[in-house]
Amino acid sequence: TAAEFVGELVPNVHRFGLSKGQFSLIDLIDVLTQQMGPVELSLSTWTAARADLARLEGLLAARFTSVRFLLDFSFQRRQPALIAQIRKLFGDGSIVVTRNHAKFLLLKRDNWRIVVRTSMNLNFNPRLEDVEIKDDPALYDFLDAILCDLFKRHDTKNQIKKSVKELGNEFAELEA
């Protein structure tokens, strides 16, 4: 289970493992935030299923002090209702869509700077997936700076109206 994989969070925790679908990324978020308490959550993923977002919504009030999503721009075309739901639940400024396949979580509270790097999307997937959990302030700051820059460069409200082609051009125009 996700709880067995995570174990007890201690300073400088570092876990790496593989899952064959025994748990999902939302299960990890649940377990980690049970131990950490309310956190700032940043989530980068390619896709998410409606059921997983509903579960995330259920954790919102008690577990998150802020939420940011970085999603692939195709998600807006494939799941427009779900994108609308994310924006409704978490606000227009909480989501940026771009060409994205990076999958990671950032969880911050007090002295914790937890980074979860994984091949998992937010949804349950009974495939071989890797996952790494690490309390690493330097790595956290590195990834957080990238997210902050992306959120600053994108007009999150106007992304709703852009086509996939326009969003792709927006990505191409960004400096690496």
Side-chain angles (χ1 to χ4, degrees):
T1 67
E4 292 168 326
F5 175 72
V6 171
E8 182 182 346
L9 285 182
V10 295
N12 303 312
V13 66
H14 185 200
R15 305 249 191 293
F16 177 82
L18 298 171
S19 167
K20 291 184 352 185
Q22 294 97 324
F23 54 87
S24 68
L25 193 52
I26 192 70
D27 294 326
L28 286 173
I29 292 170
D30 188 10
V31 168
L32 290 166
T33 57
Q34 280 178 33
Q35 292 192 47
M36 294 175 71
V39 298
E40 295 176 26
L41 170 70
S42 297
L43 168 65
S44 175
T45 191
W46 186 75
T47 195
R50 183 173 308 283
D52 297 300
L53 284 177
R55 188 164 166 210
L56 193 60
E57 178 187 2
L59 299 175
L60 178 63
R63 304 279 181 92
F64 308 122
T65 58
S66 68
V67 176
R68 289 186 301 186
F69 290 90
L70 180 66
L71 297 171
D72 187 68
F73 70 91
S74 66
F75 191 82
Q76 188 159 277
R77 182 193 74 240
R78 290 181 288 113
Q79 297 284 347
L82 202 47
I83 288 281
Q85 180 184 9
I86 292 170
R87 287 190 168 113
K88 180 181 174 187
L89 294 173
F90 303 111
D92 288 335
S94 67
I95 184 171
V96 163
V97 292
T98 190
R99 288 188 182 191
N100 185 43
H101 203 250
K103 298 167 194 86
F104 62 88
L105 295 174
L106 302 179
L107 302 160
K108 177 180 175 182
R109 178 176 179 166
D110 300 329
N111 292 328
W112 290 107
R113 299 297 181 274
I114 300 290
V115 177
V116 178
R117 294 184 294 176
T118 184
S119 61
M120 296 176 185
N121 287 301
L122 193 58
N123 54 305
F124 171 74
N125 192 4
R127 291 191 168 113
L128 190 63
E129 302 274 12
D130 64 83
V131 62
E132 178 183 33
I133 299 170
K134 192 171 188 183
D135 182 18
D136 186 334
L139 181 57
Y140 181 99
D141 289 345
F142 172 75
L143 292 170
D144 185 59
I146 292 168
L147 285 178
C148 287
D149 184 57
L150 285 167
F151 273 75
K152 185 174 87 178
R153 290 178 186 228
H154 290 275
D155 181 351
T156 56
K157 278 193 165 212
N158 284 329
Q159 283 197 321
I160 299 166
K161 303 170 196 164
K162 292 185 178 181
S163 69
V164 170
K165 184 177 181 181
E166 290 171 318
L167 291 168
N169 290 340
E170 193 176 77
F171 175 81
E173 293 169 2
L174 292 175
E175 295 176 14

